[in-house]
Amino acid sequence: KGEYLKKKLLEMPQVKSVSGMGLMIGVEIDGKEAGDVVKAALEMGLMILTAKDKVRMLPPLTITYEELDEGLAVFSKALI
């Protein structure tokens, strides 16, 4: 699931890089502050964190692919 999440994140044009291990993911974004993205995502129901200049994702290990896709859709909207 971690590789799936990384692959989907790297397909987003605003994502500069993705790092991490397993489902512990750090996302470097281009054009927006990480705090602004986290705030926008939270307003849409997605809880993510910041780690310095990166957005940090830490979904539960029991997350489904469908739930990952839902979260990625919200994250994509928060990047705009």
Side-chain angles (χ1 to χ4, degrees):
K1 292 178 186 174
E3 288 301 316
Y4 176 81
L5 184 56
K6 286 180 185 179
K7 179 181 168 256
K8 291 293 189 176
L9 287 166
L10 287 170
E11 292 173 358
M12 297 179 187
Q14 303 91 335
V15 173
K16 287 171 59 174
S17 69
V18 178
S19 59
M21 185 181 299
L23 287 174
M24 296 184 295
I25 303 287
V27 182
E28 187 178 358
I29 51 176
D30 191 22
K32 265 190 153 181
E33 294 290 323
D36 295 337
V37 173
V38 168
K39 183 179 178 187
L42 187 58
E43 289 172 358
M44 292 185 269
L46 178 66
M47 188 179 355
I48 52 179
L49 308 164
T50 59
K52 297 185 183 178
D53 60 341
K54 292 185 178 184
V55 173
R56 194 170 101 196
M57 298 181 173
L58 199 62
L61 297 175
T62 57
I63 194 165
T64 65
Y65 287 100
E66 182 180 297
E67 291 168 331
L68 282 173
D69 289 336
E70 288 176 28
L72 287 166
V74 172
F75 183 68
S76 179
K77 288 179 189 174
L79 291 173
I80 298 172

